[in-house]
Amino acid sequence: MLKGLIGIRSAKQRTGFARHGVATVLVTAATMGLGLLTGILVARTIGPDGRGALTAVLTTVQLLGWLFGMGCGKAVTYALSRDHAAGGRLLSTWTLILLPVAALAIGIGHLLLPTLLAAQPAETLELARLYLPMIAMALLSELMLGLILGDQDFRSFNALNFIQPAGVAILYALLWAAGHFTVEAAVIVQGAMSTLVLVAAATLLVRRHGFGRPDFLLGRQTVWYALRTHGDVVGGVITQRLDLLIIPAFLPAAQVGLYALATSLSWLIVSLSGALATVVMPAATRRGQSGRELVLNSLQATFAIGGLLGGGLFVFADIAIRLVYGPYFADSALPLRLLLPGAVLYAAASILLNGLYAENRPFTATLANLLGMVVTLGGLLLFLRSGGILAAAIVSTVAYTLVFATAAALYRRATGLSWRVFLPDPAMLAALPRRLFDKPSSVTASPAASTVASTAGPAGK
């Protein structure tokens, strides 16, 4: 009787995750579509120079927000997934922690901007300085969205992630129709929508959990988890976006614009095929050891989606870019092709890294992105000035590949699984729409199945 009830509960969990997983992928696809529309509008309205300036301003502030985020999103997601009663205390405690961190980040940003935007005109530098306070919004948004994930409220999480690009697309279109679309107007729109999402998320959480008394012990515990994840966050940000952060200091705005288009298109693969990674961590954390099956199924699904999307984009890159963005962006095709293989592997790596978080191994997850960061930083410093955007694309793909290989080895070591369970079964792939989130036959048929079902992982590192 008890076994039957457990089986029913497990089936309901798989069904629920399948529903939320599919919804997340669909929302991500819709968000990507909106991103493509706004990208087309930007490209055809303000050209490579304008797109390069806009990318320089937004990317610089976004990266500083990630670098100073302290891993708070992962920390509160993990804590709230384990203890739902801690929501109000997590909200108040981490708000107090992040406010002085945001002030420090803004101050350092003012000092770094002249160097980071050395090759850009004075107007772009001034606009970036005006946008710097949005770092505080970025940090608080990471906290709010992390808590929503910890609540397993994937519906609200997806809705909030959709509202921002939808609002940006609508306001961009209105500005374009009125003949007032400029880099400055686009930056204002981005700031306004970020603020709106933050207010909506904060309102939802305060109504749900209240604003509890700050908890020093809880803060210390979650800060320790956060600091162990922060190396992964910093390494990931640098691996993903250091090229866009460094290029404006060495190359003119037109080259920045061409490379920004290539990276944004390649990142569509990461965003869509890796969309499951967002919900894998809280879902796998709540399920305990059975969450490993979920991680492996999500990994195989990510490879399937990424391979299809990446292969199609690789074949039709020239035609698609010329047709959609215009002939001025034709030189983005080759960097895009160089980035695509690495993008597929990086999406798969994100699943495994979130699996490590669910195993309470945040510091272990850090190692993969730290290796990628070293390769990215060294490669760009050595080859960017002479090789331009093609060198940047090659360096990024090599770094992404290294992150995936390292993440796979670390996850296998943390769980004790066989390499066989990482490989998709042909029958499973044929029935992917039906079995995407059920137990994979490769796990069932292999000796590692007992490891997934009954062996406890190593203690958190």
Side-chain angles (χ1 to χ4, degrees):
M1 179 68 175
L2 179 60
K3 185 180 293 186
L5 291 174
I6 294 174
I8 293 172
R9 180 182 177 186
S10 178
K12 288 182 177 180
Q13 285 181 331
R14 288 197 297 270
T15 302
F17 182 79
R19 182 173 62 253
H20 293 307
V22 170
T24 300
V25 172
L26 292 176
V27 169
T28 303
T31 301
M32 288 165 47
L34 292 171
L36 284 172
L37 290 175
T38 55
I40 294 168
L41 191 152
V42 170
R44 290 190 171 273
T45 304
I46 57 180
D49 287 341
R51 185 183 177 93
L54 181 60
T55 299
V57 172
L58 297 181
T59 301
T60 301
V61 172
Q62 184 182 53
L63 284 175
L64 288 171
W66 282 340
L67 292 175
F68 283 87
M70 296 178 60
C72 71
K74 296 291 186 185
V76 298
T77 296
Y78 183 81
L80 195 54
S81 295
R82 299 287 297 269
D83 179 11
H84 188 260
R89 289 175 289 134
L90 285 168
L91 178 60
S92 60
T93 301
W94 271 96
T95 298
L96 292 177
I97 293 172
L98 290 177
L99 288 178
V101 173
L104 177 63
I106 293 170
I108 292 176
H110 275 285
L111 297 176
L112 291 178
L113 279 178
T115 301
L116 295 175
L117 302 180
Q120 306 308 306
E123 294 81 3
T124 302
L125 175 59
E126 185 60 29
L127 186 60
R129 282 176 172 154
L130 293 174
Y131 194 65
L132 271 179
M134 291 305 300
I135 293 175
M137 299 295 180
L139 297 182
L140 293 173
S141 291
E142 182 181 354
L143 168 62
M144 305 301 173
L145 293 175
L147 288 170
I148 290 172
L149 280 175
D151 277 330
Q152 313 282 296
D153 186 3
F154 303 123
R155 181 178 299 175
S156 296
F157 179 84
N158 286 328
L160 289 169
N161 276 313
F162 180 76
I163 287 173
Q164 181 162 354
V168 168
I170 292 171
L171 292 175
Y172 275 14
L174 292 175
L175 287 170
W176 171 77
H180 297 303
F181 190 88
T182 62
V183 174
E184 293 80 3
V187 169
I188 292 172
V189 166
Q190 291 283 351
M193 290 309 304
S194 296
T195 303
L196 175 63
V197 169
L198 174 61
V199 170
T203 302
L204 174 66
L205 288 168
V206 170
R207 288 179 177 176
R208 181 177 297 165
H209 296 288
F211 204 75
R213 175 178 294 183
D215 188 327
F216 174 77
L217 179 60
L218 180 63
R220 186 176 65 180
Q221 293 171 343
T222 52
V223 164
W224 172 232
Y225 186 97
L227 290 177
R228 289 184 292 156
T229 71
H230 194 48
D232 180 47
V233 174
V234 172
V237 168
I238 292 177
T239 302
Q240 298 166 26
R241 289 292 181 260
L242 185 64
D243 45 4
L244 284 176
L245 187 64
I246 288 182
I247 283 177
F250 292 92
L251 302 177
Q255 290 291 299
V256 177
L258 292 172
Y259 189 73
L261 177 62
T263 55
S264 65
L265 290 175
S266 70
W267 212 248
L268 296 177
I269 306 297
V270 179
S271 298
L272 185 56
S273 60
L276 294 176
T278 303
V279 296
V280 161
M281 188 263 197
T285 298
R286 182 159 291 187
R287 296 183 188 194
Q289 294 174 32
S290 64
R292 295 172 184 175
E293 299 173 11
L294 183 150
V295 172
L296 293 172
N297 286 327
S298 299
L299 175 67
Q300 294 165 2
T302 296
F303 266 126
I305 297 171
L308 289 173
L309 293 175
L313 194 52
F314 188 94
V315 171
F316 297 106
D318 287 298
I319 297 174
I321 289 175
R322 288 178 179 273
L323 182 65
V324 176
Y325 293 94
Y328 293 113
F329 287 89
D331 288 339
S332 294
L334 182 54
L336 171 60
R337 287 194 172 102
L338 294 172
L339 286 165
L340 284 172
V344 175
L345 291 173
Y346 196 83
S350 67
I351 298 289
L352 296 171
L353 294 175
N354 278 276
L356 285 169
Y357 283 125
E359 296 285 334
N360 194 18
R361 302 297 294 269
F363 185 72
T364 302
T366 297
L367 298 178
N369 267 319
L370 287 181
L371 288 174
M373 178 187 72
V374 171
V375 170
T376 302
L377 181 59
L380 290 175
L381 292 178
L382 287 173
F383 302 114
L384 180 59
R385 191 181 296 275
S386 59
I389 60 176
L390 295 182
I394 294 171
V395 168
S396 294
T397 282
V398 171
Y400 296 162
T401 303
L402 178 62
V403 170
F404 169 74
T406 307
L410 292 173
Y411 188 73
R412 176 181 177 272
R413 180 179 179 182
T415 58
L417 298 175
S418 165
W419 281 116
R420 290 178 57 190
V421 301
F422 288 82
L423 301 176
D425 186 281
M428 189 278 291
L429 287 179
L432 187 61
R434 177 174 57 87
R435 301 185 60 192
L436 189 57
F437 300 101
D438 292 332
K439 180 183 285 189
S441 56
S442 58
V443 172
T444 305
S446 73
S450 60
T451 305
V452 176
S454 62
T455 302
K461 187 172 181 177

